[in-house]
Each structure stands twice: as structure tokens, then as C-alpha cells.
DNA sequence: CCGTATACCTCGAAAGACGAGGTATAGTAC
DNA sequence: GTACTATACCTCGTCTTTCGAGGTATACGG
């Protein structure tokens, strides 16, 4: 057993990214902040997670990227495609199923 | 994105195994059934997940194994060590933190 | 001109989930 | 006695993903 770096986090970055971008178009750095805000600092996606995830999601057709210049900087803005929204719905539903199941198991046998 | 095999499941097998074995000593097959029961069939751990996990947990000192003969069969019973219980507490707390964070994010901005 | 914040990126290591496949025994049906 | 099913354990290779560390470049305040 490693000391649990990625433990319990698989799929969570993808889910959060899709969820927050479904709300509004954002660029990477902004999205990183949004994740922290939306989770009250409970979850923070490092850049080594965020950028590869964004690229992979774009490649998979779940996100669309476009470069825009703002404040003299070039930013890459991402928005969710129709396919991305379907994926979000799938992931959210799967999350709820697993979360409920784990919750039930953690609660333990309600000594009948 | 692959088609979501292990998606959102990282750490969950370990957490469920520790949780259920903390309740009572069990052997592998029994544990597999217990996982299904405890999660109302929402989660089922395949043997390719279960046995390697049990071995790894035993190796890490979180579980203790002992072979027992019952009904003409040799079964390997596992119980949770003190260290295993500490690990369970850690994982459960981490789970709750992440689950709450994801839940919050999924709920979305409660338009102030 | 220098430090800090912004903004993007890539790499390698590590871990773990999973399906498929493999062995062997006990009990039941024919 | 033979076939089938359930029990019970195991391992292997594949695949995906998270993560920290490290790298580049620009804007801006002092």
C-alpha cells in the first residue's frame, strides 16, 4: 500500500471538470480556481492532473477548445460539447450510485 | 477516455473490504457476497480485484489471514488488525471529505 | 530589473481496477 | 459413474489515471 496519493480520486477530476465547464466556459487556470471554490478547498486539481485531463477530454470530443487573447495573454478556453454533457450525466449518475453504496456500507448493518 | 471500467472506483475496494471485515472475520468468497449485500448489488468486486487486494492488505499488515478447514474445504479467513482499523478510519474520513465535496460541486452554485 | 502571479505544458513513476483464464473440491442430478 | 454447478482460491497482463516535479513564457508592481 502506497500512502494513498490518488486514492478515491479516480474519475473525480473528469467529473468536476465537466460539471464546472457545463456551467460556463473557462480557461485552465480559472478552472483550477473554480474547483477549489466549488469544493470549498476540499479538492484541488494540480496542473499535472488538470492539463492532461483537459487535453484528453478534448481529444475524446467531450470538450471544445479555443484560444483567445485577453489582457495581453493567450488563454485556452474550454466548453462542453453535447457528447460531453452526455458523459457528465453518465458520470454523475454513476457517482451517485457508488457514493450511495459506499455510504450504506459505511453506515453498517442497522442491527435489524 | 476508455469506456470507464474502474471509473470512480479507486480506493473503494480497499475501503469496503476493511469496513466489512471490521464487522466480522470472513473468507474471500463470503466477503465478495457481503460486498454485494451491503451495497444492495450496486457494487460487486470481481475476483481479480478482491484477491490481489486481500493479499496486498495482508502484506501491508492491515489484515491477518488464517487458514481453516470447514465443510471439507480449506478457507482463508481474514480479520482486521489494529493498523487496519486506523487505515479504515483514515479512508472513511477521506471518503467523506471527497464525497461531500463532489456532492457540493454537483449541486452547483446555489444562486446566492 | 527583479520577484510574483498568471498561464500553459510534459514527463516518468506508481498504483490499482479489471477481465480472462486457471486449478481444485463438494454437492446434486441423471 | 458422470456431468454439471457452485464453491473457493489464485495470477497475469492490460489499461487508465493520478500526481509531483520540472520546464517555458508573459504581465505587472515596486
Amino acid at each position: 500500500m502506497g500512502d494513498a496519493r490518488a486514492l478515491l480520486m479516480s474519475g473525480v477530476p473528469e467529473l468536476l471538470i465537466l460539471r464546472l465547464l457545463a456551467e460556463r466556459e473557462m480557461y485552465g487556470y480559472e478552472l483550477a480556481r473554480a474547483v477549489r471554490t466549488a469544493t470549498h478547498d476540499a479538492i484541488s486539481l494540480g496542473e499535472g492532473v488538470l492539463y492532461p485531463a483537459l487535453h484528453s477530454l478534448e481529444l475524446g470530443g467531450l470538450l471544445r477548445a479555443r484560444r483567445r487573447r485577453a489582457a495581453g495573454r493567450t488563454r485556452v478556453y474550454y466548453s462542453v460539447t453535447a457528447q460531453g454533457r452526455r458523459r457528465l450525466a453518465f458520470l454523475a449518475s454513476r457517482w451517485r450510485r457508488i457514493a450511495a453504496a459506499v455510504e450504506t456500507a459505511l453506515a453498517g448493518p442497522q442491527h435489524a
Side-chain angles (χ1 to χ4, degrees), chain A:
Chain A
M1 297 291 73
D3 47 7
R5 274 157 57 258
L7 253 180
L8 298 170
M9 279 298 286
S10 96
V12 170
E14 183 184 354
L15 176 53
L16 292 179
I17 287 169
L18 288 173
R19 176 64 186 85
L20 294 174
L21 289 181
E23 205 79 39
R24 71 174 201 282
E25 191 184 45
M26 280 186 264
Y27 58 95
Y29 232 66
E30 189 185 7
L31 180 56
R33 268 182 261 121
V35 167
R36 273 178 249 125
T37 304
T39 64
H40 302 108
D41 279 302
I43 296 175
S44 176
L45 299 187
E47 302 183 23
V49 172
L50 188 65
Y51 290 111
L54 286 172
H55 298 155
S56 161
L57 290 170
E58 190 198 355
L59 202 69
L62 306 177
L63 295 182
R64 191 174 47 268
R66 58 174 177 136
R67 319 183 74 81
R68 259 168 51 187
R69 291 198 63 81
R73 295 180 159 287
T74 301
R75 291 168 174 164
V76 188
Y77 284 80
Y78 292 92
S79 52
V80 183
T81 63
Q83 201 189 331
R85 288 182 193 275
R86 283 195 295 277
R87 172 73 169 179
L88 170 57
F90 167 77
L91 279 182
S93 135
R94 187 182 163 92
W95 165 264
R96 277 191 258 265
R97 189 173 56 78
I98 292 174
V102 171
E103 214 54 60
T104 303
L106 282 186
Q110 246 54 31
H111 40 113

